[in-house]
Amino acid sequence: MTSAPAGPTTAASDTPVPGMLSDVYDRLGVRLHDGCGTLRVWSEHATDVELVVFDDDDPDWIVDTVPLAPVGGGVWEATTPALRVGVTYSVRVDGPHGPGMTFNPATLLIDPYARGLSAPGIHSWRSVVVDDCFDWGGVAKPATPLDRTVVYEAHVKGLTKRHPGVPAALHGTYAGMAHPAMIEHYRSLGVTAIELLPVHAFASEPRLLQLGLTNYWGYNSVGFFAPHAPYATAAAQAEGATAVLREVKGMVKLLHAAGIEVILDVVFNHTSEQGLGEPRSSFRGIDNRSYYRQADDGTYIDVTGCGNSLNTSTDAASRLVLDSLRYWANEVQIDGFRFDLAPVLGRDASHAFTPEHPLLQAIVEDPALAGVKMIAEPWDVGTGGWQTGAFGAGWSEWNDRYRDRVRNFWLSDIDYSRRAEVTPVGIGGFATRLAGSANTFSAERGPLASVNFVTAHDGFTLHDLVSYDSKRNEANGEHGRDGADTNRSFNHGFEGPTDDQAVLAARRRAMRNLLGTLLLSAGVPMITAGDEIGRTQHGNNNAYCHDSALTWYDWGREPWQDDLHAHVELLTRIRRENPALRPVRFAHAEKTVPGASVIDWYDEQGNTMSVEQWTDPSHRTLQYDACSTPESEAPNRTLLVVHGRESDVEITLPALEGVTRFAPLWSSVDERPRSDAAPLSPGDAFTATGPSMYLFRAE
């Protein structure tokens, strides 16, 4: 084994470059130049590394082998004319035996930096040399400000598979995502960013394949640089990995031209190699001891629940993640990333999470990633894994506290009140979430640190959240053991499908209340694709293994679904036009904060909320007055009335300084948005039929 050089240096000085930023890790993977290619592979413990090149037509026929030489710092390198665009290749690695060492010189392995992958068989992979050239035609990233961002979480295949306006050849593909019919859909909804479930190359677990199921969501990465080829059109797949990559870039280019950003859900926390003894495709054979978290005896430390955990306490693994982000953000022009089980990336050598982890800091400080949106899923399944609010400046986070409180307020609290004739809590906690979760995120980070959501790919859809008290996961092959048991859902009196019109009306109103809260709250809202039309998964709250009509977007709509869609269209427009609803910073009681919204709270009688009313379980009504402190937009003021009971209440609008009238903008009471509601004046009263919301512009 070759030892590392004494100290790599920067071009500007003789100061050693620390950790993952060391130039030892530069230019890993294949680089084409001068009619040949250079392959660089990192393995700290390897004693021998070999390049294997395959025939152009037969992926199992080895036509050339080339030994790699150690060049220092654990890097092995070879240059050969055999590496050219379109060629498929693997590496074979040998090394010592011992705890945590799993070298096998006969195993064909993926280059971790491969930009293209092919799969000649189940759990059989080949790296592919690709042509990175692409004409972006001057189309730039939209660079949507975070306060104006509305995220739409979607699945490439599921969203486009059945769209009648998308040609059949493009169904379920990257190209289909950017078809004019889809772009019109995004624009009509008012979303600004599409957050795609994983598109890194991924595989289905053997267990699922044995059950006749598949890993549909894609949270089982094979490689971190190559796109998932089955999402490309049949023509691109037939042409090869370069064409697949070109189709991904073409999707991004067309979406950018339409002003739509692309955010990728990335899974750096574990890989498809699973636990020891499971499929070996790359890291386990290249340097198991360095890439995966282990105890001294080689036992995996699994903080993901997926069999293994990437060991980002090593510089090479951290640099791999950083290089993947740089590649996608710059070569593929991706606008942001949502990090699955993000605390895994912030665990140190003792496996404890720290927000000061060098990788977490590098991700938001790297000049090559400037302006890229970084969103953490702030929990994993390890000790100390729940870290909502703990990430540093530059990060936004999925806010599960927001999700749970909003569900409680509109669903489980209402259910409780039907059973006990009282509600368990008052409105104070809900109001905190509505105003940006200042009790979770620091003043330095502000409300935009919170990515607000009521549903996501994982869990009930919005329709099922208001239609089922219990999950229906039998089709997943785990006898109903999988999926969350605590959903904070409410079936409104009947479990599942019903013809009872009163139940259906209550469910529709609950969906409007949930969507209204989401799109009128301070923070960054995320809508799950299909919620805007009340898509159902028939009570399955963990449909990760179903690539079928159960999970595909159904574009055939009933009138009530058109009505719900119209509410979302209106709400996103209202959010866009009223900066008071989307503050950049938290207000301060003693000084003016530019970009904040000054907030006052009133009860149903128009009086300032008392301390007792915040925590009184019997008090479930408030008026939320938000007045913007403009930096670049005109001054703006809104009043949101929230009534969290099924009984009616009389609302008296408050007397606000400088306000002479309240212009109605939206109400959750209406089955379809209306525009003929008359303005009201301070001191006027109206009856709120609950549970409900009413939004006014204060003028």
Side-chain angles (χ1 to χ4, degrees):
M1 182 172 66
T2 303
S3 61
T9 60
T10 65
S13 73
D14 293 329
T15 303
V17 178
M20 77 183 83
L21 299 181
S22 167
D23 58 12
V24 165
Y25 305 112
D26 289 351
R27 302 178 304 282
L28 293 178
V30 171
R31 295 293 184 272
L32 299 177
H33 58 93
D34 306 319
C36 57
T38 295
L39 171 65
R40 286 166 55 88
V41 175
W42 182 87
S43 176
E44 180 182 4
H45 298 102
T47 57
D48 186 64
V49 181
E50 182 180 51
L51 165 67
V52 177
V53 181
F54 298 93
D55 181 72
D56 290 344
D57 299 315
D58 185 346
D60 294 319
W61 181 14
I62 297 173
V63 296
D64 198 3
T65 59
V66 180
L68 275 67
V71 295
V75 175
W76 297 71
E77 180 178 291
T79 298
T80 171
L83 288 172
R84 51 183 168 73
V85 172
V87 79
T88 58
Y89 68 99
S90 293
V91 294
R92 293 193 289 217
V93 183
D94 199 3
H97 298 286
M101 302 294 188
T102 56
F103 294 105
N104 185 334
T107 304
L108 297 168
L109 302 167
I110 296 168
D111 167 14
Y113 279 74
R115 269 62 165 169
L117 292 175
S118 64
I122 297 177
H123 302 300
S124 174
W125 296 92
R126 304 285 185 266
S127 305
V128 184
V129 180
V130 301
D131 182 355
D132 278 326
C133 294
F134 184 78
D135 182 7
W136 289 97
V139 175
K141 293 184 178 183
T144 306
L146 201 53
D147 70 297
R148 289 179 171 270
T149 297
V150 178
V151 178
Y152 189 62
E153 189 198 39
H155 188 284
V156 169
K157 184 173 184 179
L159 186 61
T160 63
K161 178 67 176 176
R162 305 171 82 178
H163 196 299
V166 174
L170 305 186
H171 281 170
T173 69
Y174 299 117
M177 285 292 299
H179 185 272
M182 295 304 307
I183 289 174
E184 172 56 30
H185 173 65
Y186 311 140
R187 283 177 162 170
S188 73
L189 280 178
V191 299
T192 69
I194 311 301
E195 182 176 301
L196 297 177
L197 268 65
V199 299
H200 287 171
F202 64 85
S204 292
E205 297 87 336
R207 177 187 63 82
L208 290 178
L209 296 176
Q210 291 169 3
L211 292 172
L213 300 170
T214 185
N215 190 318
Y216 171 69
W217 287 349
Y219 292 89
N220 202 39
S221 302
V222 172
F224 299 144
F225 289 81
H228 191 59
Y231 289 163
T233 57
Q237 292 183 57
E239 189 176 340
T242 292
V244 171
L245 178 59
R246 188 167 59 242
E247 187 173 308
V248 174
K249 292 180 177 179
M251 170 191 72
V252 175
K253 178 180 177 179
L254 289 172
L255 290 172
H256 282 178
I260 305 294
E261 292 187 317
V262 181
I263 297 172
L264 297 188
D265 195 334
V266 287
V267 189
F268 293 119
N269 55 78
H270 76 283
T271 77
S272 62
E273 291 186 304
Q274 302 180 76
L276 288 168
E278 298 292 342
R280 178 200 308 254
S281 59
S282 185
F283 300 118
R284 183 171 295 143
I286 291 175
D287 198 326
N288 181 65
R289 191 73 188 172
S290 297
Y291 277 115
Y292 292 123
R293 293 189 179 275
Q294 300 166 47
D296 291 341
D297 63 359
T299 303
Y300 277 5
I301 296 173
D302 179 11
V303 296
T304 69
C306 300
N308 64 63
S309 302
L310 195 70
N311 186 11
T312 54
S313 70
T314 69
D315 294 331
S318 286
R319 178 62 180 269
L320 176 77
V321 172
L322 194 64
D323 283 345
S324 173
L325 297 173
R326 290 168 166 175
Y327 173 74
W328 287 94
N330 294 293
E331 295 298 323
V332 194
Q333 290 288 286
I334 295 301
D335 304 278
F337 301 93
R338 178 267 187 188
F339 294 79
D340 185 63
L341 304 184
V344 176
L345 306 185
R347 289 183 179 269
D348 59 21
S350 68
H351 315 298
F353 173 80
T354 170
E356 290 79 30
H357 191 287
L359 176 57
L360 297 183
Q361 291 184 321
I363 286 171
V364 294
E365 295 173 0
D366 189 346
L369 297 173
V372 177
K373 295 175 171 68
M374 302 299 181
I375 303 169
E377 180 187 40
W379 51 82
D380 64 28
V381 302
T383 302
W386 187 75
Q387 293 292 336
T388 304
F391 282 70
W395 286 93
S396 296
E397 302 174 36
W398 273 26
N399 189 348
D400 56 323
R401 289 180 171 181
Y402 177 95
R403 174 200 63 199
D404 293 348
R405 178 62 72 177
V406 171
R407 288 187 180 190
N408 281 348
F409 186 79
W410 293 117
L411 299 176
S412 55
D413 288 359
I414 302 295
D415 181 23
Y416 187 96
S417 68
R418 284 193 184 184
R419 301 171 191 273
E421 298 184 357
V422 294
T423 49
V425 296
I427 203 167
F430 175 83
T432 299
R433 299 304 162 193
L434 193 66
S437 297
N439 63 344
T440 301
F441 302 101
S442 66
E444 291 74 21
R445 297 180 67 192
L448 298 180
S450 177
V451 174
N452 299 329
F453 68 108
V454 176
T455 68
H457 64 276
D458 184 5
F460 279 143
T461 66
L462 183 69
H463 172 278
D464 293 354
L465 194 64
V466 304
S467 304
Y468 292 87
D469 283 351
S470 303
K471 63 188 181 184
R472 299 287 187 269
N473 292 2
E474 292 76 12
N476 296 357
E478 297 185 41
H479 307 288
R481 292 189 298 266
D482 65 305
D485 293 315
T486 302
N487 296 285
R488 296 174 169 82
S489 60
F490 177 34
N491 66 19
H492 290 85
F494 192 89
E495 187 75 357
T498 179
D499 293 327
D500 188 311
Q501 294 304 306
V503 170
L504 293 174
R507 290 176 177 177
R508 292 194 297 271
R509 182 180 290 202
M511 286 190 279
R512 296 193 295 270
N513 283 327
L514 290 163
L515 286 168
T517 303
L518 175 65
L519 290 167
L520 301 177
S521 293
V524 182
M526 185 187 79
I527 304 168
T528 305
D531 280 355
E532 71 274 10
I533 59 166
R535 185 182 73 85
T536 181
Q537 288 178 172
H538 307 293
N540 192 319
N541 76 346
N542 191 35
Y544 76 103
C545 54
H546 297 283
D547 184 358
S548 67
L550 178 70
T551 52
W552 301 338
Y553 194 114
D554 185 354
W555 292 89
R557 303 204 304 235
E558 297 179 12
W560 72 267
Q561 293 175 294
D562 288 329
D563 293 342
L564 188 62
H565 190 283
H567 276 279
V568 176
E569 288 183 56
L570 176 59
L571 285 163
T572 56
R573 178 169 64 80
I574 288 171
R575 183 180 184 85
R576 187 166 59 249
E577 295 175 351
N578 292 273
L581 297 170
R582 42 181 176 81
V584 174
R585 302 175 185 89
F586 290 126
H588 192 282
E590 299 176 356
K591 62 181 179 180
T592 299
V593 180
S597 288
V598 177
I599 298 171
D600 289 299
W601 305 94
Y602 302 91
D603 63 16
E604 61 270 29
Q605 298 173 340
N607 300 319
T608 299
M609 288 272 286
S610 67
V611 174
E612 294 75 19
Q613 285 175 313
W614 284 114
T615 56
D616 181 358
S618 68
H619 190 258
R620 300 271 295 181
T621 306
L622 61 72
Q623 302 188 67
Y624 165 42
D625 167 34
C627 184
S628 71
T629 307
E631 288 185 288
S632 59
E633 299 180 79
N636 174 245
R637 194 168 192 174
T638 58
L639 181 73
L640 178 64
V641 178
V642 177
H643 178 47
R645 287 192 180 282
E646 291 191 297
S647 57
D648 296 348
V649 66
E650 185 173 88
I651 304 292
T652 300
L653 295 174
L656 305 180
E657 183 178 355
V659 174
T660 59
R661 75 169 197 161
F662 294 99
L665 297 179
W666 174 80
S667 171
S668 68
V669 172
D670 304 322
E671 286 284 352
R672 189 171 182 87
R674 51 182 294 195
S675 58
D676 59 348
L680 299 174
S681 300
D684 284 353
F686 71 95
T687 300
T689 60
S692 57
M693 304 176 75
Y694 303 80
L695 180 69
F696 302 88
R697 182 182 291 116
E699 301 174 340

